[in-house]
Every structure is written in C-alpha cells, then in structure tokens.
Amino acid sequence: MLENPRSPRVRAVAKLTKRSARTETGLFLLEGPQAVREALTYRPEAIVELFATPTGWERHPDIRAQAADAGIDVEHVTEYVLNAMADTVTPQGLVAVVRQTPTSVRDVFAASPRLVAICQEVRDPGNLGTIIRAADAAGADAVVLTGRTVDPYNPKVVRATTGSLFHLPVSVGGELEDVITRAHEAGLRILAADVKGDDLLSARAEGVLAEPTGWLFGNEARGLEDDALALADRVLRLPIFGKAESLNLATAASVCLYESAFAQRAATVG
C-alpha cells in the first residue's frame, strides 16, 4: 500500500492537475467511481494506473469486476495519499491515470458525421465539459476543439463530462479554418450560434436543421469573432422569450445540438 503522500510516485500523479504535466506525459487524471467506471467500460486500454483506498475498493464490486476483466491491477493507497493525488476535496476513494486519446480532425470528418460540435475559444472548463456531455447525449458524432479552447483533459472538464469524454471522439488543437474546410468537404453545413444571427426558429421551419451540421460555438464573453462568423454558412440565435439577458454558453449549445438531433431523427423517420 502506498502510504507516503510526498513520494515521487504520488507527486507524479498529482502533477497531472497541471496542463504542462499532461502535455509532457500524454496522461490525465480521473477521479471518482463514475468516471473510473466509464473508462473501464469504454476505454479500458487507456487506463495506465488505478488507485483506490481499501474502503473505496470494497464499496464498488462492479468496478472490481471490470478491472479484473480488463486485467488492470489496483494499487491500494491511504486516504491521505489519495487526497494528495486528487484535484477534488473528496475523490470518493478512486483515482486513475489515463492515457489521452484525442482523435484527429481528419479522422473525425472521414467518418461521415452528421452532427458535430465545434468549440472555438471556449475557455471555461465547466462549459466545455457540459458541451461534450450534451453532444454525447444528443447523439453527436464528435466534438472538435479549435483555437485556445480549454484543455479537455483539465480535471474540471473531465468531471463536467461525467464520462462522456470516453463516449465520442474529441479532436484537439485544430485551426478553425481547416476544420471548417474539412467539414464542408464532408458535406456538413456550418451553423454558428451567435446573438447577431437569425432566429433559429426560421431555420427550423426551413428544414435546415435536418441537414448534416457542424454547430460552431464561441467564447463565453466575446462570442465568435467576425472572421469566424464569416466561415459559417449561416449564423443563428436562440430566441429569448422571457426577460433573461442571454443564455449560458453550455445551455445554448445544448439546445442547438438537440434541435439538430430532433430534426435529423424526424427526417430519418419521415
């Protein structure tokens, strides 16, 4: 059992809360039973190390069975060691070190996607994690991150995805113009979500949302710059029926993705 929270091994795991360490190693930190369970279910080959307190390990027999089936050994640690490794105050008895598995932009669009979320300069970890989760829930084929969008392997992003990071391809580090070009070549229409756009309801009435679509979402504070908007086929805004000044980025993205999901499925059934 690992007992020293200041040991080099523990410190190496704890460093993964920093982007520089994640970039250098290609690894990231996973905390809590739900996240570990999703990784074991969908990406067991990406798990490099698995740590658990004896109590945390006993509490989750399904995770013990999954780890055994995947041939992954657990390293038992004390509560002090687990707390030293984790980014959260209460890691709930389980922490894993996982290999980053981003998908290339080329591979995303070579798969003939019908619905993709493109995030340009999204900086808030909670927003990005929620967008990834919403894209997964809406049945999107991928999430593509461009510009200076926050690292998807940031612990706060990982937690906000609640496991969706392991469910669909996520592409990192693309240039927006190249991403849009590849999306067009793959037959996708690019719809930019921005307050300066046309009412989304008009696009719904025209049947635009049923087409293969790449939704483009911008920075929380500034939205999308004019040069980014110019790359889109159409700019749309969500109508505000009440007195709210605006919608949170992740909330707006969730609505847009679901509007496309509803329209695409209705068209398929019809």
Side-chain angles (χ1 to χ4, degrees):
M1 178 182 288
L2 283 176
E3 297 180 339
N4 181 4
R6 296 185 178 180
S7 71
R9 191 174 180 194
V10 174
R11 288 183 175 182
V13 175
K15 283 181 180 179
L16 295 176
T17 60
K18 306 297 183 184
R19 184 164 191 165
S20 58
R22 295 194 300 273
T23 300
E24 181 181 345
T25 64
L27 304 173
F28 71 102
L29 193 63
L30 205 59
E31 302 178 41
Q34 180 58 31
V36 170
R37 187 178 290 113
E38 294 299 308
L40 283 167
T41 300
Y42 294 96
R43 299 279 178 83
E45 73 285 352
I47 297 176
V48 176
E49 294 181 290
L50 178 58
F51 302 95
T53 63
T55 301
W57 194 238
E58 287 301 314
R59 192 181 295 135
H60 301 286
D62 60 324
I63 292 178
R64 295 203 307 271
Q66 284 182 296
D69 289 344
I72 297 171
D73 295 325
V74 65
E75 182 83 38
H76 288 299
V77 300
T78 65
E79 292 281 356
Y80 291 113
V81 166
L82 201 76
N83 289 337
M85 289 177 171
D87 182 61
T88 58
V89 176
T90 54
Q92 298 179 284
L94 291 166
V95 162
V97 174
V98 184
R99 190 175 297 106
Q100 299 175 23
T101 56
T103 303
S104 70
V105 172
R106 179 187 60 194
D107 288 345
V108 165
F109 293 108
S112 301
R114 288 188 56 80
L115 183 58
V116 174
I118 303 168
C119 298
Q120 166 73 356
E121 305 284 342
V122 174
R123 305 308 299 275
D124 181 83
N127 276 336
L128 180 60
T130 302
I131 291 171
I132 293 172
R133 182 179 181 182
D136 177 25
D141 299 294
V143 177
V144 177
L145 313 183
T146 62
R148 293 176 297 170
T149 291
V150 63
D151 177 15
Y153 302 106
N154 176 304
K156 293 182 177 63
V157 177
V158 174
R159 288 196 296 275
T161 71
T162 64
S164 288
L165 186 64
F166 302 111
H167 298 169
L168 77 171
V170 177
S171 177
V172 180
E175 292 297 326
L176 182 60
E177 189 168 353
D178 175 60
V179 169
I180 299 299
T181 297
R182 290 181 181 274
H184 281 149
E185 291 172 348
L188 274 67
R189 178 191 292 262
I190 301 300
L191 301 180
D194 194 90
V195 295
K196 298 187 285 291
D198 302 325
D199 194 321
L200 181 140
L201 296 179
S202 63
R204 180 204 282 176
E206 296 164 17
V208 171
L209 301 178
E211 300 175 4
T213 297
W215 271 105
L216 176 58
F217 306 113
N219 180 266
E220 293 86 350
R222 303 186 307 275
L224 289 161
E225 303 289 347
D226 289 343
D227 57 348
L229 291 173
L231 297 172
D233 298 296
R234 190 157 178 183
V235 182
L236 299 175
R237 61 177 171 81
L238 289 176
I240 301 292
F241 300 116
K243 295 182 175 63
E245 182 271 333
S246 63
L247 283 171
N248 165 271
L249 170 64
T251 302
S254 300
V255 174
C256 292
L257 290 165
Y258 260 96
E259 281 282 346
S260 286
F262 290 147
Q264 290 181 358
R265 280 157 178 74
T268 301
V269 172

